[in-house]
Amino acid sequence: MLARVWSAALVGIDAVKVGVEVDVSGGLPAMVVVGLPDTAVQESRERVKAALKNAGFAFPMRKIAINLTPADLRKEGPIFDLPIGIGILAASEQVSTELLGDFLFLGEMSLDGSLRAVRGVLPIAAAARDLGITGLVVPQGNAREAGIVEGIHVYGCDRLADVVDLLNHPQSHQPVVVDPRQELKCSSSNAPDLRDVKGQAHARRALEIAAAGGHNLIFVGPPGSGKTMLARRLPGILPPLNFPEALEVTQVHSVAGLLKERGALVTQRPFRSPHHSASGPSLVGGGTYPKPGEISLAHRGVLFLDELTEFKRDVLEFLRQPLEDGYVTVSRTRQSVCFPAQFTLVASTNPCPCGYYGDPIQACTCSPRKREQYWARLSGPLMDRIDLQVVVARLKPEEITGQPLEESSQTVLKRVLAARDRARERFAEESRVKCNADMQSQHLRQWCQLDSDTQTLLEGAIRKLGLSARATDRILKVARTIADLQGTEHLQTQHVAEAIQYRSLDRMQ
């Protein structure tokens, strides 16, 4: 007998509907899987056989042919265990086939018939809804994740026997009910508070500007000056995720397999901090079947690169395209996939190999040649894409021993939200512009007009610092954010002057 069950495969962060055709016919007992299955899918034959027997079902001792369609799409992972098992039961007339066409099945099976969570359920649930599938059957560990998608009935099952009972007696089972907007509303930030930072008023101001405009930021200073401490407090002053953004972030994390043991929805902005030994593919994503890398996992959040100059130069060059375009394309022989990568880059580094160049107390032991080689690891085009370049000085003794009396993250967040609201109203008709850092040339011409004195100031800075056109645009974007923080509609000389001050590394060259 022939049976067809629906499942799905992942291509990047998108899902493709897959038909699992199972034919049980006469012949010597054997099970064959065709349709470009990978090793994990091939191994499902043994898992499914043991699971059916241990769950109390009869495994047909006949020839079983399993075809995964479309045949030219590579199938990977244990996600097809459950649909293959249900297909065998349907083809051997051990389960009702009336509702098979209405359901899409996903899940890995243990040898005892229990179901284990799999990755990528959220984008598959969204694709199933768009394809007109009315029901989705997933392991209980994926039920809340899939339940985020509206317009489709999601059933979470712990064991294969539960799935069979659902098909035979659908009226006795209720779909999972999840209110993702309520979860988003009730979420609370656990990011460190800015109140804990002592001194560093200049760096705190730069951090506020970065949060208000979505600008990239680098801290340069000696060891122990608070660079990492400041960077880790940026998520606490970023606007909370709205529902569409939370769905985007959750989708990426689902494909990466980071949601199997977590809640239904990612409610906090991501903060990713890869080690400086990270490779290029680990940052941008890759593999034989491309998976999201660190920059995609930081989508709508923060990518923190501590000790930036310790990263390999060719690895850092991978950042240039996603910083400019907001996405990254990973090309392989079999396929090419696109991952979202709209993040705020925060980096920190020492001013030289020993870390004390320019320090008023401890002398630098590095030669000019060593310092030149140290900074040569950072290319000019990459530094052009970093809007705020801030020198973080050593704390004074009284600042170290005194009690911090600085503003809390919540106080700063109120100003950030007000500035973001002004930008949102300004770009209400621009779907691709979410904050000032996203502005293009036409937006700069419209919203960053300068008077003659301010233009003269900017031209002088361009000549003296040797700024490129891209760096100049970054100054205007930062100036626009500073004006928004002050509630000013038009750019003034003081706004541009402050923005120029955040090109510290250009002044040092």
Side-chain angles (χ1 to χ4, degrees), residues 124-155:
I124 291 176
R129 176 199 58 193
D130 297 339
L131 291 170
I133 299 293
T134 58
L136 179 65
V137 181
V138 298
Q140 191 65 49
N142 292 126
R144 290 181 57 78
E145 175 188 344
I148 297 173
V149 180
E150 299 174 338
I152 187 171
H153 297 299
V154 176
Y155 297 89

Side-chain angles (χ1 to χ4, degrees), residues 70 108 220 343 451:
E108 175 186 349
V220 182
F343 57 90
D451 57 32

